[in-house]
Amino acid sequence: MSASLLPFIGWTFLPNLVTGWIQSIYYGFSIRAGDHKPQPGSPRYVKHRQRILVIVIVAYLLYTIYEVDDQLRRQGNFYESLGVAHDAGDRAIKSGFRRLAAKHHPDKVAASGDPAAPGGHFVHLKLAQDTLLNPTQRFAYDRFGPDALNWQHCSSIGDYLFQALGKFGPTYLGAGIMMTILGITGYLQWGRFVSLEGSYSRTVNSEADRSQITQWRYLFSALLLLLEVYTITRPYWPPFLNNAINPVLIRLTSHPPLLPFQLLALARKTTLSIFIALSQLGPLLQPKPSAITTSSTTGGINLLQLNRIEQITQANEVEATRLLGLDMAPFVGDGHSVDDLKARLKEWLVQNTIRNDPEVRDAMGKVMGRRRLGAPAGARNAR
């Protein structure tokens, strides 16, 4: 297994494992003897665990970025091997090679009698000189790294670019298809930016119009692809690398200047680490889905649910009107029958609705109860 993959595999278990250790240690020195520790699942325990987990995730993200950069520095490059600047001309390159060849030539290494002397280093220096003196190979090396020197049937810059398209194109295509499938199946729920006019909720799981929802993963992937295409297709190094990144590294740190292929390798792995970190940080930092709800008038029901109920009610009203129109179809054009039907409906409403209403019946009972007792038949208010 490649050592470069170990930091990314660590994302699957290390943050939670380290968080558990740190939380136990924190409770060990922050809670006095005899006091009760927060129980797992309690609000206080969950709050502490979330805060520690956020710190651990951010720290591990910084570590993975440092690990990738450190690996690139250990690998080195041809410019560092010859001790020349990245914009060195043919004379400087040849001069650097001659100076180092006099020290690492196999004949001199053998004469020194030192078995630990790296005689193979001379071959590396010769390869570095030959590559940097060849404009086509130097173009390919600067943008694709030492692996490009092993590509077959490449004699021009166009050949190298075509080979790069065949090697890196499927990677981006596969990543895009994978993110799309995971998004459709619901495994990438967090990370959606919802922008809806008139919406009362910003929750991820809302029933909002999905066409107005974008995902930052696609945005970052597109930016990374744009950076790579721009870097490998220009006949010169990216201006932001020459005028911004490398000058800062040289003046403020001991970090050597980055080559384009090192910049792209660092950008790829850093983007992947940020994807994983944000996917784990999102649920911790995201507000609860019921953050924006009504208080007393709706009883805590989400307003989007109320809007959904209102839409269903309106649809039922339209359907009821349509059915009533079908029932009235036989009476269309017959005024006498319509008037008779209205009279009968009115009588039915009075007999079955008004008189059977509990309040009406109670009022009628009170009125009847106030009639005089013992009054002669036919007398007013007599029983």
Side-chain angles (χ1 to χ4, degrees):
M1 181 182 297
S2 177
S4 61
L5 296 178
L6 293 179
F8 301 104
I9 297 176
W11 281 109
T12 59
F13 64 93
L14 279 181
N16 286 321
L17 181 64
V18 175
T19 298
W21 292 344
I22 295 178
Q23 191 168 10
S24 300
I25 296 173
Y26 171 72
Y27 286 157
F29 71 81
S30 64
I31 298 179
R32 295 179 297 180
D35 294 342
H36 295 287
K37 296 181 179 179
Q39 295 299 318
S42 63
R44 185 183 176 189
Y45 181 92
V46 172
K47 181 177 69 173
H48 291 167
R49 184 171 184 83
Q50 287 182 345
R51 292 179 177 178
I52 297 174
L53 185 57
V54 168
I55 297 174
V56 170
I57 291 175
V58 173
Y60 192 66
L61 171 62
L62 297 177
Y63 167 75
T64 55
I65 296 175
Y66 167 79
E67 180 68 18
V68 171
D69 179 69
D70 184 65
Q71 183 181 4
L72 291 173
R73 294 180 63 178
R74 290 198 304 267
Q75 292 176 353
N77 58 74
F78 286 167
Y79 295 95
E80 293 181 8
S81 299
L82 295 177
V84 297
H86 61 80
D87 56 351
D90 292 351
R91 172 180 285 186
I93 294 173
K94 293 179 180 178
S95 176
F97 172 75
R98 286 194 297 267
R99 176 174 49 84
L100 294 173
K103 179 179 179 181
H104 298 284
H105 194 276
D107 295 338
K108 186 172 183 179
V109 171
S112 65
D114 185 4
H121 186 61
F122 178 81
V123 179
H124 173 75
L125 295 176
K126 186 67 168 62
L127 177 62
Q129 177 194 233
D130 295 342
T131 300
L132 298 183
L133 290 179
N134 187 318
T136 301
Q137 292 185 353
R138 184 173 182 175
F139 176 93
Y141 174 79
D142 288 347
R143 287 151 183 81
F144 310 120
D147 293 339
L149 303 180
N150 299 322
W151 295 354
Q152 301 296 326
H153 310 295
C154 293
S155 58
S156 65
I157 293 178
D159 294 337
Y160 280 106
L161 292 177
F162 185 77
Q163 284 273 15
L165 179 62
K167 292 181 179 294
F168 301 124
T171 302
Y172 284 97
L173 181 61
I177 294 175
M178 182 61 66
M179 285 193 297
T180 302
I181 295 176
L182 293 178
I184 294 175
T185 54
Y187 286 96
L188 298 179
Q189 288 297 323
W190 185 84
R192 292 172 175 170
F193 294 149
V194 183
S195 177
L196 298 174
E197 295 182 359
S199 173
Y200 294 94
S201 176
R202 297 287 178 180
T203 60
V204 173
N205 297 322
S206 65
E207 298 296 332
D209 183 10
R210 298 301 181 187
S211 63
Q212 300 186 32
I213 297 179
T214 59
Q215 293 190 359
W216 56 264
R217 295 179 182 87
Y218 295 105
L219 177 62
F220 273 82
S221 298
L223 292 177
L224 179 61
L225 177 60
L226 181 63
L227 171 65
E228 184 145 3
V229 171
Y230 176 80
T231 301
I232 67 177
T233 56
R234 299 298 93 186
Y236 45 81
W237 286 20
F240 62 86
L241 182 61
N242 277 336
N243 302 328
I245 298 179
N246 282 338
V248 171
L249 293 177
I250 295 174
R251 294 176 183 176
L252 302 182
T253 68
S254 59
H255 196 290
L258 288 174
L259 272 65
F261 81 87
Q262 293 175 325
L263 173 68
L264 293 177
L266 185 62
R268 293 190 204 103
K269 296 183 179 180
T270 299
T271 302
L272 179 58
S273 297
I274 292 176
F275 277 9
I276 301 173
L278 290 182
S279 297
Q280 296 189 11
L281 284 174
L284 301 176
L285 302 178
Q286 183 179 340
K288 299 300 181 181
S290 58
I292 303 179
T293 56
T294 54
S295 55
S296 58
T297 58
T298 64
I301 300 177
N302 192 291
L303 289 178
L304 285 178
Q305 296 177 354
L306 293 180
N307 292 337
R308 179 64 176 168
I309 294 174
E310 182 180 0
Q311 294 175 0
I312 295 175
T313 304
Q314 293 176 354
N316 290 337
E317 183 179 354
V318 172
E319 183 67 16
T321 303
R322 187 183 66 83
L323 294 176
L324 181 60
L326 292 176
D327 293 337
M328 294 292 294
F331 303 98
V332 175
D334 190 350
H336 178 72
S337 299
V338 172
D339 293 339
D340 184 63
L341 180 62
K342 289 181 178 180
R344 290 178 181 274
L345 287 175
K346 182 177 181 181
E347 181 180 358
W348 181 85
L349 288 173
V350 172
Q351 294 294 334
N352 295 279
T353 304
I354 299 179
R355 290 186 178 180
N356 289 333
D357 187 90
E359 295 183 358
V360 174
R361 297 182 62 181
D362 183 63
M364 292 179 64
K366 291 181 179 179
V367 171
M368 298 297 294
R370 289 199 299 267
R371 290 189 174 185
R372 299 196 308 270
L373 297 175
R380 190 175 183 180
N381 294 333
R383 282 182 177 267

